[in-house]
Amino acid sequence: MTENIEKLSALHILVTNDDGVHAPGLLALTNAVKPFGSVSVLAPDHNWSASGHVKTLSRPLRVRETKLADGTPALTSDGAPSDCVALGVLGILRKKIDLVVSGINTNSNLGHDLTYSGTVTAAMEAAISGIPAVAFSLAEPRDTSEEKDYTLSQIVIREVVKNILDHGLPRGILLNVNIPYIDVEQFKGYQITRQGLRVYHDNLVRRKDPEGRPYYWIGGDPPSGIVEKGTDIGALAENYVSITPIHLDLTAHHLISTLRSWEWG
Ligand code: MN
């Protein structure tokens, strides 16, 4: 037990997100992981939701000190979430990082969302650097501005981090965790899932600026998805937390032999 406590207190956790350093979800995540060791916060200075996996090469990155709403010291950068992780790993944080946690994102990150998500791509950046990482997203209702309830999220975050400490994560793997927005009493448990199929409802909104030039919005209703057992979307639909192991191998392995059978000149 003593050994375990020493291991926990030695842990250095980097907290980041894509909603910006002052998003309430980041504070909730920071507080949830504090019992596991020393925590560094390095997060973007504005919202980068749906920014994908960014590596900023064309301009310098700035990092400055700030404080979270409860006074916790934090660092913030004008880079993307993945830039924040890279900055931390490459030396802005002098201490070696043992775990990267990203979130808690406002809205779920399911199925194809992963390629758009700044929350998940921050965790991907950590995985590329060989650091265990978890992305946390909360399936909040989109149309409310009221204060969010992170009670269930904090229980889930502690359970996930505890399991990673107990079992470790293979190099290059991250966990994508989605939490339903429900009361603790309604919570059914944890499901280990695969990515489901998102259905996007995007449409093109054409308008004209004051000078008569056209501009476009990609608009539409929020995405839905195919509710299927075993998937992230299916788990959330039944009030389970979804935990999906993700790796960065995008190869369609089942097509390799077919493509090899084609005539290749
Ligand atoms: Mn976001």
Side-chain angles (χ1 to χ4, degrees):
M1 188 65 196
T2 319
E3 196 182 290
N4 219 9
I5 290 168
E6 273 168 15
K7 201 171 86 189
L8 294 188
S9 60
L11 204 69
H12 179 212
I13 303 172
L14 169 61
V15 182
T16 192
N17 76 346
D18 81 346
D19 295 331
V21 69
H22 296 301
L26 181 100
L27 178 59
L29 176 57
T30 304
N31 285 329
V33 298
K34 269 182 182 170
F36 293 100
S38 66
V39 174
S40 297
V41 177
L42 173 45
D45 63 9
H46 65 272
N47 194 322
W48 283 79
S49 295
S51 62
H53 198 158
V54 176
K55 180 170 277 189
T56 297
L57 300 174
S58 57
R59 63 178 174 88
L61 295 172
R62 307 283 179 180
V63 176
R64 63 182 173 84
E65 293 179 0
T66 185
K67 279 189 165 70
L68 305 187
D70 69 348
T72 301
L75 294 171
T76 185
S77 164
D78 57 352
S82 39
D83 290 323
C84 289
V85 172
L87 287 167
V89 171
L90 294 174
I92 292 290
L93 305 174
R94 287 194 193 93
K95 221 170 125 199
K96 181 179 153 290
I97 301 164
D98 302 303
L99 176 68
V100 172
V101 292
S102 177
I104 307 165
N105 191 55
T106 58
N107 304 136
S108 52
N109 275 305
L110 305 166
H112 306 329
D113 294 345
L114 272 64
T115 58
Y116 297 109
S117 167
T119 308
V120 176
T121 51
M124 287 179 177
E125 186 68 23
I128 287 172
S129 300
I131 299 169
V134 195
F136 293 98
S137 304
L138 180 62
E140 295 175 12
R142 291 200 179 228
D143 300 329
T144 61
S145 53
E146 66 201 51
E147 209 174 299
K148 298 293 167 2
D149 179 1
Y150 294 109
T151 313
L152 176 60
S153 297
Q154 297 207 323
I155 294 169
V156 169
I157 290 162
R158 287 183 182 142
E159 189 73 4
V160 170
V161 173
K162 191 179 148 304
N163 256 315
I164 291 177
L165 290 182
D166 286 349
H167 302 283
L169 270 185
R171 198 182 161 89
I173 302 285
L174 59 114
L175 297 184
N176 184 39
V177 177
N178 281 276
I179 304 162
Y181 195 67
I182 52 176
D183 292 333
V184 175
E185 297 75 44
Q186 298 169 278
F187 172 47
K188 300 261 269 296
Y190 299 83
Q191 279 187 13
I192 308 304
T193 58
R194 58 188 165 84
Q195 281 177 264
L197 287 175
R198 264 299 203 196
V199 179
Y200 295 100
H201 306 286
D202 296 342
N203 58 41
L204 195 62
V205 178
R206 299 161 200 264
R207 290 190 188 140
K208 287 204 167 133
D209 72 14
E211 312 213 339
R213 293 171 303 197
Y215 67 87
Y216 307 93
W217 282 101
I218 298 173
D221 294 327
S224 55
I226 309 290
V227 178
E228 190 185 348
K229 272 208 188 311
T231 67
D232 47 10
I233 295 166
L236 278 198
E238 295 185 341
N239 287 352
Y240 285 89
V241 163
S242 166
I243 301 176
T244 312
I246 300 292
H247 60 182
L248 300 181
D249 179 1
L250 300 180
T251 312
H253 288 274
H254 60 289
L255 262 189
I256 286 180
S257 59
T258 304
L259 286 183
R260 282 181 181 152
S261 76
W262 294 5
E263 299 258 344
W264 287 106

